[in-house]
Amino acid sequence: MIGHQFMGKVHSHAYRDLPFYFDPPAVPVQQAISGRNEAAVREAAEQFGWDSVETDWRRLVERDDIDLIDIVTPNHTHADMAIAAAEAGKHVISEKPLAVTAAQAKRMKDAVEENNVVHMVSHNYRYAPAVQYAAQLIREGRLGRIYHIRAQYLQDFIMDPAFPLVWRLKKEYTGSGALGDIGAHIIDLARFLVGEFHSVSGMLQTFIPERPLEDGSGTGEVTVDDAAGFLARFNNGAMGVFEATRFAAGSRNKNQFEINGEKGSIRWDLENMNNLEVYFEDDEPGMQGFRMIHCTEAEHPYMQAYWPAGHIIGYEHTFIHQMAELINGIHENKSPHANFNDGFENQVVLEAVQESAASGSWMTTEQIKAGL
Amino acid sequence: MIGHQFMGKVHSHAYRDLPFYFDPPAVPVQQAISGRNEAAVREAAEQFGWDSVETDWRRLVERDDIDLIDIVTPNHTHADMAIAAAEAGKHVISEKPLAVTAAQAKRMKDAVEENNVVHMVSHNYRYAPAVQYAAQLIREGRLGRIYHIRAQYLQDFIMDPAFPLVWRLKKEYTGSGALGDIGAHIIDLARFLVGEFHSVSGMLQTFIPERPLEDGSGTGEVTVDDAAGFLARFNNGAMGVFEATRFAAGSRNKNQFEINGEKGSIRWDLENMNNLEVYFEDDEPGMQGFRMIHCTEAEHPYMQAYWPAGHIIGYEHTFIHQMAELINGIHENKSPHANFNDGFENQVVLEAVQESAASGSWMTTEQIKAGL
Amino acid sequence: MIGHQFMGKVHSHAYRDLPFYFDPPAVPVQQAISGRNEAAVREAAEQFGWDSVETDWRRLVERDDIDLIDIVTPNHTHADMAIAAAEAGKHVISEKPLAVTAAQAKRMKDAVEENNVVHMVSHNYRYAPAVQYAAQLIREGRLGRIYHIRAQYLQDFIMDPAFPLVWRLKKEYTGSGALGDIGAHIIDLARFLVGEFHSVSGMLQTFIPERPLEDGSGTGEVTVDDAAGFLARFNNGAMGVFEATRFAAGSRNKNQFEINGEKGSIRWDLENMNNLEVYFEDDEPGMQGFRMIHCTEAEHPYMQAYWPAGHIIGYEHTFIHQMAELINGIHENKSPHANFNDGFENQVVLEAVQESAASGSWMTTEQIKAGL
Amino acid sequence: MIGHQFMGKVHSHAYRDLPFYFDPPAVPVQQAISGRNEAAVREAAEQFGWDSVETDWRRLVERDDIDLIDIVTPNHTHADMAIAAAEAGKHVISEKPLAVTAAQAKRMKDAVEENNVVHMVSHNYRYAPAVQYAAQLIREGRLGRIYHIRAQYLQDFIMDPAFPLVWRLKKEYTGSGALGDIGAHIIDLARFLVGEFHSVSGMLQTFIPERPLEDGSGTGEVTVDDAAGFLARFNNGAMGVFEATRFAAGSRNKNQFEINGEKGSIRWDLENMNNLEVYFEDDEPGMQGFRMIHCTEAEHPYMQAYWPAGHIIGYEHTFIHQMAELINGIHENKSPHANFNDGFENQVVLEAVQESAASGSWMTTEQIKAGL
């Protein structure tokens, strides 16, 4: 594993907890973790259960006893690491967004494909049981033709103007702000549930343009969006309306969507992620209404691994499921979704939104791809 | 009153019920109702309590015993009626949207202003107590600077492809479809609560392009949108994300918005219109959360006229409040909001969305006004 | 009408509004209202639309131009008024609870039956469309055998110890406190939806035993319960758990129940009274969950009189429906539910709860009846 | 650990996961697990991470390398195991309910106290962050004097009459049915949050009195309650209304309570266990309402160990927190709540409910204790 912050912790836990609940074809061994600050990485290794540490990520790529590289570092570093890993024949999973530009994402995708390694990008929300179940219902045609998706990812953690100018607020490290960080998740969910984006019209906004530097030496410019909104057309004719913001007071982590089809609708909200609201047009008149399904039953994906119905799982379990798919994928030499191709497609949409916001006009994903 | 369908019924009830709950400076007398079908209008007069009937609306405008003309007919007829009423010195209230084009709306606005009559356009949702209370909180600065509004008006009543080609689906009668019919309401609420629109980027969609004719003689083309999405920038820097659709399975009449400001947030949903969710950033840490306020207390606008706290009012009461404001306005010779100026501004936004959807580029409200 | 406070207002409105929405076989004429304070009753007559006033209720009973007596006075006065009305051959509707004792209620019931007049007791919540629809589902067997009802009526309006010693807090005027005032409603709903009570075990509590007198001359003893809880067995084997309190901070008027049967469950809450939650055991596995039905559709009782689906009605409409049934009942010479027999049965349950609370043992309704 | 079913799994996971999130003063080592079926216990040992197995639980008690005995077997076996463990000087944690009778629970409590070992009974719901936070608010006086608790634990897993006669439905193995299994949890929560029970009036019901035997050889009698309701008075004057049932269609695992005090109220529901609804009487008029607090913030107990605000935890985490308290308790030689004394007090309440249900009269906890 390269990196050891928030995402390092949750990925580590997933590897560790996976064999307890599932019966993976191979049990992950936490060989080594790397980080530039030796003391910090040693502490992380101890707490998160890694057997050895490196202070240069390139050493991980060189080591023969490592089969899988897990990248949980800032966005601008993903490309070099993933490409090096692929070229060394290692399987690779990267945090999202895959890259800081679509061009970079394309090189990463090419590298993993050329080197025939298994690859994933960590869009863990696909692996919430309620989301998997929603996907299953859509796949089975229970909603019919899809007309609409509306999705919002609302947070509020940087609303205080005194919140410092961390790396997440600098374009060179991230590519974009709320858009790439949380908007990427709802783009990925939309692609998973509805299909491929045809075109978008975007709007970006930075409400607090200057913030204090982290070292206290003054202020600096925020170079990414605080909030993003975008309209979308999908290849299958569906309409999308999306919003990602870090300025929605009271929403700590509200990732929610509603999908409307000709035969029914679905609603989901990460803050109560075990619930799925489902409406069926063919329910008996007078008795039509959204059903609040508590997706904790044997019928719901992954839930047989846990407890009797009615006992909820949490955020971290989405990563356990994702890692279960990754280990299965490595076993079968097949890259599960979301893989680098998904990461690339997501990145194309992100870039289309940015280009559209800059130009004031709609942008197609084909236009972005043509420019790579 | 000109017209006698759904809106005729609800306006009639409001006039009739108003004196029971409020103490208006003048008691409305239901003098006359007009409609082209004499039998139908006679029946409406009887049920809705009108003293006389006319089969030509121009007769209403001519009658000396009538001070106020209430227009509840299809959109394309509003302009002629309202202008004739104004020129005859009658006060006038029109159903929304005010007109089918911004140019038409401008002529209507000019007519009422030149003739110095009191005028309103029926955006009744402004007069839900929870919405008035939200406006009051915003006006008092309880939310601080506004960052976001996201609003959706979701219906599902024409999802069935067998639903016929009624006048609401023909551009010549309506100007637009979901956009003008229900999108107009959320535009009006956004202007009421957040401020004036600077510019928009719009998307329109017609999912079912052909429908059976009402007379059963074949099918015809739907010439308005089934659904509309648009992004907006407000003059005060706020961002807006809007959606109006008649294809959201399971949402009979879901008119909902969320507004995020620097000090708090507000959420409202017409389907449970007595509730208002409010979040305050300065609530004690650990105890922060959206409060579900049941706006049925003496502190909430209009509610002292009714029952003790906890007893809800319904949809029709928004019209009673609106008519109370209208009667007060006539008494004081002042046009309450939403008035024809609001109707005009709303129409400009509608037209900007349509123009933007046609061109694929952002459109400012100033551009629309300059073109009139 | 005898009395002119809160309930006088809501009943008056119902008579007035009834012909607008429904097509009653007879149109109620608001002949006369009585009250002891002439100035107050004159003002009420004006605002509520009554044609004449009396300061002695006995005059109403004597008048030939009056067919129906509506009693909206404090509980201890119902019996004399209703019996006098019945003996004078007037139809009669009384506010709830019917009486202050079961013995009194029995005399009232006997009087209306002997004199063959139409009678009702105003348990208006039966006439919420969602509740009527729930009753219909149960009647049709959609829930199967009923196992459980749990119902609470929670208010908080007398929590302040400075709230004065009004008549509602004196046993001689009311019979009981929260129990008879709001507990009576959930008893009536339980009888309507589940069936007759077999026996109960009750608990009563007065949290604030002394309160300031209304005239400011000191304090006096509260002689009724602030809160009541009771267990129940029904004749059909169902179990009931009930609670009525005026000390539930934050619940202004929360009248809610859940009923569980062998094939499904139902939940309702007065504060959002247009909604009904319904669960069906035979929904497909994986897709089982409570449906949130917005009871505003043509399929839902009474709703065709109003607006298209999705537009809610309020508290006062339950009275319009009740008065519609009353007028129909008078037309057909048949007493609709809830009638004086219901009022009597409810009173027997109330008395059983009181007796049980006093004795510390279960009490059957038969025991109460045997003692009358 | 003695036993290896559902509770064995969740306890095992907690020991294993604890050091990852918390920094315990001692790291639990999963030495040995016992079970009578050797193949099954070996499989459990492998999956749940135990180093060795025993087929006789007495061997665990004898082993020198074991400091803590965790009992997750059927209720009727707890007493012998816990007493043997205590007498061998082992610390002990037992699943709930502690015993099958109050007398048995008393012997267990005496044994652990006499042998000075650390003891707990697994009432894990105390350790949901939202519940701990509720307790903290009550302790700080934020709700003032407590007037009411109403709590329900609703399940539906045995509604099918074809569900077999498992040990949970036989009194000799369990002491009682829904009452002891899930009612015990709400009794424990009430004692934790409100205080000690003074007296109760109970009602028990068995809706399906005969069920198929597990071996298919016929049917047998259900000797425990399917559902229980009880009223309670607390020593501090609060009123309680409780219900536990396995016949509430649609409620898989709904453990919910509401507490009303003079200054505010609290609501919680296990099915969305990260949420806590809180109402404060001193919120500004007009802005009073229940706040929906997402208890995933640094201010909420235990949550700093996990993720940023807005990321939920699940059912299993309540056990991690409980085991963290247990390990701390062992380190400090102090038995954390819920300990055997809590288990005993809970058992006294259970027995009072049973006695009351049998006699039809109220029963005090002192009466039960006096009879031991």
Side-chain angles (χ1 to χ4, degrees), chain B residues 59-85:
Chain B
R59 276 290 301 138
L60 289 191
V61 171
E62 290 160 15
R63 278 175 57 167
D64 285 343
D65 60 344
I66 288 178
D67 299 315
L68 167 67
I69 300 288
D70 186 332
I71 304 167
V72 292
T73 51
N75 309 349
H76 70 302
T77 63
H78 296 175
D80 284 355
M81 292 170 179
I83 292 168

Side-chain angles (χ1 to χ4, degrees), chain A residues 272-285:
Chain A
N272 293 303
M273 61 172 247
N274 292 268
N275 296 332
L276 187 71
E277 288 184 77
V278 181
Y279 172 88
F280 294 115
E281 198 71 13
D282 63 359
D283 275 344
E284 191 177 335

Side-chain angles (χ1 to χ4, degrees), chain B residues 6 9-10 12-13 16-17 19-21 47-49 125 153 252-253 270-275 294 297 304-317, chain C residues 6 9-10 12-13 16-17 19-21 47-49 125 153 252-253 270-275 294 297 304-317:
Chain B
F6 169 20
K9 180 174 175 183
V10 71
S12 297
H13 184 268
R16 178 187 161 92
D17 223 19
F20 189 89
Y21 288 120
Q47 199 200 337
F48 303 160
Y125 296 129
Y153 203 140
R252 301 295 188 250
N253 196 32
L270 174 62
E271 288 190 350
N272 291 303
M273 63 171 247
N274 293 268
N275 296 331
H294 204 250
E297 310 193 17
Q304 275 186 315
Y306 301 99
W307 323 110
H311 297 79
I312 71 169
I313 59 167
Y315 167 70
E316 72 196 33
H317 297 83
Chain C
F6 169 20
K9 182 173 174 182
V10 71
S12 297
H13 184 268
R16 179 188 160 92
D17 224 18
F20 189 90
Y21 288 120
Q47 200 200 335
F48 305 158
Y125 296 129
Y153 204 140
R252 301 296 188 250
N253 196 32
L270 174 62
E271 288 190 350
N272 293 302
M273 61 171 248
N274 293 268
N275 296 331
H294 204 249
E297 310 191 19
Q304 275 186 314
Y306 301 101
W307 323 110
H311 297 79
I312 71 169
I313 58 166
Y315 167 71
E316 73 197 32
H317 297 83

